[in-house]
Amino acid sequence: MVDVILGLQWGDEGKGKIVDYFAPNYDVVARFQGGPNAGHTLYVNGKKIVLHQIPSGIFHQDKINLIGNGVVLDPVTLKRECDAVAAFGIDVRKNLYISQRTNLIVPTHRALDKASEQSKGDGKIGSTLKGIGPAYMDKTGRNALRVGDLLDKNFTTQYIKLRLKHQRLLDNSHFIEDISAWEEEFFEALEFLRTLNIVNGEYFINEQIAKGKKILAEGAQGTMLDIDFGTFPFVTSSNTISAGVCTGLGIAPQKINDVLGVSKAYCTRVGSGPFPTELHDATGEELRKLGSEFGATTGRPRRCGWIDLVALKYTCMVNGVTKIVMTKADVLDSFDTLHMATAYQIHGNTVQEVPYQMNKLPIEPVYQAFAGWKCDTTTIQQPDNMPQEMKQYIAFINNYLQTPIAYVSNGPGRDQIISL
Ligand code: GDP
Ligand code: IMO
Ligand code: MG
């Protein structure tokens, strides 16, 4: 049986915290897509840690953590992160497993990412520059190196071949940065990677399922960044939706049970691209300040705005969301009035669908106003103790989405969550 936790907006919904919270109920936590573009923040013993490659179940010693075939893996980031979790007493050789089909991010992927963004000028995606796009291009282009190749004696020859191909592309883009230091740390990190548990991921996970073990699939990014269903071309390069769990781990669709969609009580986006409910005013600033909205991977300020129910209804649909986890509700504690977008006005028409190309249309959100609750909610544990205005805010969303908010997160801490 497999449950999924994934993002319903443009990433950074608080997936890491929620996975860490639910991990005790599962035997395996598995990442199925994305790479070090992800930044999942957890608090362990009161200390903050941001995970990029390792699944967010790693701090639960008796749980298996699997990096699935759908992930793109940067060995340098992985090694750094393994060192960071070791400082918490975690031995990754005991509870971290990596699929041999997982594709590798090589240093020239990062260089190509940078060159691609530079060539786009004002039209840049706002990539995290971790090499994600180029790595997935080599996967679908059938050129990639995979973790299993590390065990092949011809690995270096394969690497040089790929490196030369990339160098030609970089020369065409007039990219002249010296990346030899990146390569040095890459080869060092490969030695480390070779010592970890490399498994046949699809057999590994299906055997766990056959034994009756419970699997939690951890999404990265968010549905509005999905390569097919997001705000293309301002998206990432993987399928972030629930269907990605099947291809990213090698499991069948009927094995998927609950799909928990994580959404903030408002909305943020980092990087370029359309964001209809974005606030360019003092309220947007206030959300950024109160929500500490700065990227966990790049430190960039996140763009902030009101919750967008049109987009959320769409993301619930494409994922088959069964339950919603609403995070960062406490960030709204001090606002007099809150707003939700319930429709879009496009060329004088009111629509409730996400259009094909948001970035090419003048979208005016239609807002409904709600009274704020104006009290500190961060210590609430029981749903009955939630302020009336918060209950009304939640009831409206439940009704609009026809999908229940089952949990409300009211602070970054592990125990700050209300089960409804
Ligand atoms: P992820 O990428 O979806 O895992 O989310 P990030 O870690 O990038 O960003 C979420 C940020 O919000 C982190 O700094 C979390 O510590 C924080 N956070 C998560 N849930 C809550 C919450 O309910 N309230 C508040 N105030 N912060 C939260
Ligand atoms: P988590 O898992 C928020 C955004 C980037 C950029 C676009 C493409 O922490 O929610 P990429 O590096 O994939 O080429 O960038 O996607 N992006 C994210 N935004 N959270 C993330 O991950 C993101 N991963 C990528 O900012 O706009
Ligand atoms: Mg993040």
Side-chain angles (χ1 to χ4, degrees):
M1 198 271 300
V2 183
D3 290 338
V4 185
I5 289 181
L6 49 71
L8 296 180
Q9 297 169 314
W10 279 280
D12 301 330
E13 297 90 348
K15 300 174 293 292
K17 170 194 155 158
I18 303 303
V19 170
D20 176 49
Y21 173 78
F22 283 109
N25 304 343
Y26 294 87
D27 302 293
V28 181
V29 180
R31 276 276 306 268
F32 58 93
Q33 49 68 234
N37 48 350
H40 295 179
T41 314
L42 327 180
Y43 282 85
V44 185
N45 306 332
K47 273 202 199 133
K48 178 174 162 171
I49 179 149
V50 181
L51 296 172
H52 304 284
Q53 291 276 191
I54 299 179
S56 302
I58 197 72
F59 293 103
H60 302 268
Q61 296 263 15
D62 53 335
K63 308 296 172 190
I64 290 172
N65 286 267
L66 173 68
I67 298 179
N69 58 279
V71 170
V72 283
L73 181 68
D74 179 352
V76 177
T77 307
L78 179 72
K79 181 171 184 294
R80 211 175 286 146
E81 213 161 284
C82 287
D83 291 345
V85 303
F88 286 82
I90 302 292
D91 180 0
V92 291
R93 288 188 181 81
K94 288 209 181 107
N95 68 348
L96 180 68
Y97 293 77
I98 305 167
S99 167
Q100 55 191 358
R101 294 181 190 272
T102 304
N103 286 239
L104 287 173
I105 299 179
V106 301
T108 36
H109 283 141
R110 279 159 60 196
L112 285 166
D113 211 356
K114 211 167 168 185
S116 163
E117 285 286 77
Q118 277 167 3
S119 73
K120 286 190 163 118
D122 285 348
K124 71 174 187 191
I125 308 295
S127 160
T128 60
L129 303 179
K130 302 291 178 190
I132 306 298
Y136 278 114
M137 279 164 74
D138 272 336
K139 177 179 181 173
T140 50
R142 300 164 291 185
N143 296 308
L145 289 167
R146 306 193 287 179
V147 170
D149 298 337
L150 284 173
L151 312 173
D152 188 316
K153 61 179 180 345
N154 291 325
F155 178 81
T156 308
T157 316
Q158 289 181 57
Y159 172 78
I160 292 168
K161 214 171 126 195
L162 188 63
R163 168 94 173 71
L164 282 173
K165 176 179 167 292
H166 290 166
Q167 195 56 55
R168 282 193 291 275
L169 295 169
L170 289 168
D171 291 345
N172 279 341
S173 318
H174 309 291
F175 185 90
I176 48 159
E177 261 179 68
D178 177 16
I179 61 161
S180 51
W182 297 2
E183 263 188 318
E184 207 172 297
E185 56 177 8
F186 174 71
F187 274 98
E188 259 176 50
L190 287 185
E191 284 313 310
F192 172 75
L193 178 51
R194 282 192 178 96
T195 68
L196 301 183
N197 301 306
I198 297 171
V199 292
N200 196 337
E202 58 281 18
Y203 279 102
F204 183 82
I205 199 151
N206 280 292
E207 276 159 19
Q208 296 289 332
I209 295 171
K211 282 194 267 185
K213 303 285 184 191
K214 292 174 78 182
I215 319 290
L216 181 59
E218 172 181 4
Q221 291 77 57
T223 305
M224 296 304 279
L225 289 169
D226 181 273
I227 182 71
D228 282 276
F229 300 103
T231 47
F232 189 89
F234 301 99
V235 292
T236 190
S237 298
S238 64
N239 279 118
T240 59
I241 61 168
S242 53
V245 175
C246 296
T247 55
L249 293 175
I251 58 158
Q254 67 269 30
K255 298 285 189 316
I256 295 181
N257 185 41
D258 264 331
V259 179
L260 276 82
V262 187
S263 165
K264 282 177 187 166
Y266 51 101
C267 193
T268 65
R269 171 166 204 166
V270 60
S272 335
F275 177 5
T277 60
E278 181 172 12
L279 293 166
H280 299 278
D281 57 9
T283 311
E285 277 294 331
E286 194 70 358
L287 283 170
R288 185 173 310 115
K289 194 175 97 212
L290 294 170
S292 310
E293 294 296 358
F294 295 89
T297 298
T298 57
R300 292 177 291 178
R302 295 178 184 145
R303 300 155 62 193
C304 298
W306 296 121
I307 195 166
D308 181 344
L309 296 186
V310 180
L312 273 181
K313 183 133 187 151
Y314 170 78
T315 57
C316 282
M317 174 182 77
V318 296
N319 287 302
V321 172
T322 54
K323 290 174 190 161
I324 293 171
V325 183
M326 190 170 87
T327 54
K328 305 193 88 160
D330 54 296
V331 174
L332 301 183
D333 279 357
S334 59
F335 288 83
D336 291 327
T337 311
L338 306 170
H339 292 86
M340 300 191 204
T342 55
Y344 297 152
Q345 279 263 333
I346 305 175
H347 295 307
N349 298 318
T350 307
V351 299
Q352 288 190 318
E353 283 189 9
V354 170
Y356 167 58
Q357 272 187 319
M358 266 193 174
N359 55 317
K360 301 220 168 127
L361 292 168
I363 301 177
E364 277 295 320
V366 177
Y367 286 116
Q368 182 147 337
F370 291 81
W373 41 89
K374 305 277 287 171
C375 62
D376 179 356
T377 59
T378 54
T379 54
I380 297 176
Q381 292 177 329
Q382 299 301 326
D384 287 349
N385 297 338
M386 291 192 313
Q388 202 52 35
E389 293 83 356
M390 190 182 226
K391 287 182 185 162
Q392 280 160 0
Y393 192 80
I394 291 169
F396 186 87
I397 299 174
N398 285 347
N399 187 48
Y400 187 101
L401 300 178
Q402 289 294 298
T403 310
I405 294 176
Y407 303 91
V408 174
S409 171
N410 54 342
R414 245 181 188 173
D415 51 346
Q416 286 176 298
I417 189 157
I418 310 164
S419 176
L420 305 188

